[in-house]
């Protein structure tokens, strides 16, 4: 795994705002109150452990389904206004997944947003794309995702940003890292991403995010086929339907934590 770590003192990050789409909102990792938890919330807890109790502040501005331009219009100005010590900026994935999505064009607009954030925020952590080779719906987009990932790393170099390299996180290639919809991480997948993000920020973490998964029983072809049929009926067809109707899962959804509040 690439070493994208950056050392901080334990008191360096006293506030954090997460910017992005469903990945950062935490879809696939449901909490007890009906909202999603996700890697960003889990990272916030790890960061808060470095501070005196109730002094760390956290906002999560991410909303599922948001395209890059929507994130830049709705969330980036709010993140700049809040002025936290750390912003995580994960955006552009939904643009790349859309037909005709051009990773070069998306990256150009992404970099403009990064420049805005780095001028106002102490540290901006950027996220690459996942390696989609094992994802049934998105494996044919692997080349586009790889191109965008290369752009993100180059942008990070130009602007001095640490990188959460999801492409090289091998543990999320396991199907157990993904929720039933196969589009979003599971609770375990979000946990592994949070641990890797904490490592990038120089924190000691309680577990290795890339540790091997426990062995599992081999599934029969009939079980695999039955699971695929269930997934297509319950998740793939509705997802395609929303795309055809121009409807987003994030329509009428508000950020779950729009202010910097103590944890």
């Amino acid at each position: 795994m690439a070493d994208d770590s950056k050392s901080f003192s334990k008191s360096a990050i006293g506030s954090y705002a997460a910017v992005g789409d469903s990945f950062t909102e935490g879809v696939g990792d449901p909490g007890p109150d009906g909202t999603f938890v996700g890697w960003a919330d889990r990272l916030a807890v790890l960061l808060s452990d470095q501070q005196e109790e109730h002094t760390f502040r956290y906002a999560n501005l991410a909303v599922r389904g948001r395209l890059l331009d929507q994130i830049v219009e709705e969330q980036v100005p709010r993140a700049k206004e809040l002025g936290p010590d750390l912003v995580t900026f994960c955006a552009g994935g939904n643009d790349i997944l859309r037909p005709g999505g051009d990773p070069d064009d998306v990256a150009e607009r992404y970099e403009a947003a990064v420049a805005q954030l780095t001028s106002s925020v102490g540290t901006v952590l950027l996220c690459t794309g996942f390696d989609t080779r094992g994802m049934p719906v998105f494996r044919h987009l692997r080349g586009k995702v790889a191109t965008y990932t290369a752009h993100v790393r180059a942008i990070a170099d130009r602007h001095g940003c640490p990188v959460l390299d999801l492409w090289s996180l091998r543990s999320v290639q396991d199907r157990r890292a993904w929720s039933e919809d196969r589009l979003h991480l599971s609770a375990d997948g979000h946990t592994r991403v949070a641990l890797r993000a904490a490592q990038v920020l120089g924190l000691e973490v309680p577990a290795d995010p890339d540790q091997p998964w426990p062995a599992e029983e081999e599934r029969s072809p009939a079980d695999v086929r039955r699971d695929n049929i269930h997934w297509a009926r319950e998740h793939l067809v509705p997802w395609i339907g929303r795309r055809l109707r121009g409807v987003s899962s994030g329509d009428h959804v508000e950020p779950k934590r729009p202010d910097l509040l103590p944890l």
Side-chain angles (χ1 to χ4, degrees):
M1 180 175 293
D3 182 7
D4 296 299
S5 61
K6 183 176 180 180
S7 296
F8 295 87
S9 68
K10 288 188 176 182
S11 61
I13 301 177
S15 55
Y16 163 36
V19 171
D21 51 29
S22 60
F23 169 60
T24 301
E25 185 186 349
V27 174
D29 183 8
D33 61 353
T35 62
F36 293 107
V37 182
W39 72 271
D41 288 16
R42 296 176 183 276
L43 173 61
V45 171
L46 293 171
L47 289 168
S48 71
D49 287 344
Q50 309 299 312
Q51 304 292 326
E52 293 185 13
E53 192 173 5
H54 304 308
T55 62
F56 182 82
R57 296 175 301 139
Y58 169 56
N60 190 315
L61 310 176
V63 176
R64 70 201 75 168
R66 290 298 194 261
L67 299 170
L68 174 61
D69 289 345
Q70 294 172 311
I71 291 170
V72 172
E73 179 181 354
E74 300 168 5
Q75 299 176 34
V76 169
R78 179 57 177 161
K80 292 170 61 180
E81 179 184 0
L82 292 172
D85 297 324
L86 169 69
V87 166
T88 54
F89 182 47
C90 305
N94 288 326
D95 300 73
I96 300 300
L97 297 180
R98 294 202 165 205
D102 181 352
D104 300 326
D105 174 64
V106 176
E108 186 174 340
R109 290 181 282 124
Y110 179 90
E111 183 164 14
V114 171
Q116 286 190 54
L117 287 168
T118 53
S119 67
S120 304
V121 178
T123 299
V124 181
L125 176 70
L126 306 185
C127 307
T128 73
F130 291 98
D131 186 347
T132 61
R133 61 183 169 179
M135 303 173 70
V137 182
F138 302 130
R139 64 166 59 100
H140 68 288
L141 298 173
R142 191 182 187 215
K144 290 173 63 175
V145 177
T147 299
Y148 189 60
T149 288
H151 277 304
V152 169
R153 297 201 67 98
I155 291 166
D157 286 345
R158 287 194 289 271
H159 293 271
C161 300
V163 179
L164 172 54
D165 188 354
L166 302 172
W167 185 279
S168 69
L169 188 60
R170 291 165 296 181
S171 62
V172 296
Q173 297 300 318
D174 191 285
R175 68 184 185 90
R176 288 168 287 183
W178 296 87
S179 65
E180 188 180 88
D181 68 7
R182 304 185 187 180
L183 304 173
H184 301 98
L185 293 174
S186 64
D188 286 337
H190 277 287
T191 297
R192 287 173 182 261
V193 169
L195 291 169
R196 179 55 186 152
Q199 285 182 331
V200 171
L201 294 171
L203 275 65
E204 296 287 338
V205 297
D208 178 6
D210 235 352
Q211 64 183 322
W213 292 82
E216 64 175 343
E217 292 185 13
E218 186 174 348
R219 297 185 299 157
S220 70
D223 288 337
V224 172
R225 184 166 55 252
R226 184 165 51 251
D227 287 348
N228 287 340
I229 292 171
H230 173 78
W231 166 73
R233 182 176 63 247
E234 298 297 324
H235 301 287
L236 178 60
V237 171
W239 182 80
I240 293 173
R242 288 196 300 272
R243 291 295 179 274
L244 293 175
R245 298 192 305 273
V247 175
S248 169
S249 59
D251 290 346
H252 313 298
V253 175
E254 297 294 328
K256 64 182 180 182
R257 197 178 175 93
D259 299 304
L260 284 174
L261 298 174
L263 282 181

